[in-house]
Every structure is written in C-alpha cells, then in structure tokens.
Amino acid sequence: MRMILAVAAVLYSASALAQTDKPPMVGDKPLVQVKPKGTKAGTKEAAAKPAALAPKGKPQSIAVRLQACLDLDDGTKDRLNCYDAVIAPTPKPKPAKAKGYADCRFFKEEDERLACFNGFAESIPKLPKS
C-alpha cells in the first residue's frame, strides 16, 4: 500500500512540475503548435474543402487541381466552384467549341462550363504521386 502511495506521489509531483507558465523552448525559440493550412476546427466547410482549393507548400499543376475537383459530387455547384477557383470564368457571348480545358472558362452557362471541365478533367491521365 505504501508503495502505491509513493508511486502516485512521485507521478503527481512530476506532472505538477511539468506545468509551467512559459511555453516549451527549442533552443532560444518557443515551440509552437501549428494547424494544417486551410482548416478551421469544427466546421463543415473545412472538411468539405477540396484539395484544389487548399494551399500547399509546393505549387500543384492545373491538371492535378482539376482532377482534385473530380472528388466532389458530379453535377453540383461545388464542383463548378472548384473548377472556377482553378481557372476563373471569363464568359463570351458566342464562345467557340472548346479545344482545351482553358477554353471552358468562356462558356456563360454553368451547365455547359461544368460539362466542359468534366470532359477534360476526366480525360487527363492520372499522374504518379511523388
């Protein structure tokens, strides 16, 4: 019984000593806990944010960002907003037929623009992850 009390006293005193007013230091700089970029704790928007909109340390190609939009539900405004975040829309009154994914931004109608982006994003070959 004394042994249990002695162990409990040592553990309690060690945890009490570990609590200080100063943050832990690494060298002469304080140790800081950092949240991942682009997340807000406890929000639905943070959980639903596609990889195309989340900032990364290394810039991603347009193809990778367009493919990330394919993770969102097909035919939804969220997917169109994801595509529009990658390539900003600049509608024209009478756009020509799209020859590449960059030409999809010229369509004024959202359904046409979404279908155009879907067609090109699905045809891009998957790049190996490095």
Side-chain angles (χ1 to χ4, degrees), residues 77 80-92 101-110 113-114 117:
K77 181 77 171 162
L80 181 63
N81 290 339
C82 181
Y83 288 139
D84 288 345
V86 176
I87 300 175
T90 52
K92 289 185 176 180
Y101 59 82
D103 295 337
C104 295
R105 69 176 184 237
F106 299 128
F107 289 109
K108 185 176 182 180
E109 290 295 320
E110 292 180 350
R113 199 164 67 240
L114 181 62
F117 276 125

Side-chain angles (χ1 to χ4, degrees), residues 51-53 56 58-71 82 86 101 121 124-129:
L53 300 178
K56 300 268 182 171
K58 181 177 156 186
Q60 295 179 329
S61 70
I62 292 177
V64 171
R65 290 186 288 168
L66 288 174
Q67 286 177 338
C69 295
L70 292 174
D71 294 339
C82 181
V86 176
Y101 59 82
I124 299 171
K126 296 281 184 190
L127 301 173
K129 293 184 180 184

Side-chain angles (χ1 to χ4, degrees), residues 17-41:
L17 290 174
Q19 298 175 2
T20 62
D21 293 337
K22 295 181 182 179
M25 304 289 276
V26 176
D28 60 344
K29 297 180 181 179
L31 179 65
V32 180
Q33 292 182 352
V34 180
K35 292 182 201 175
K37 289 184 179 181
T39 60
K40 295 179 184 177

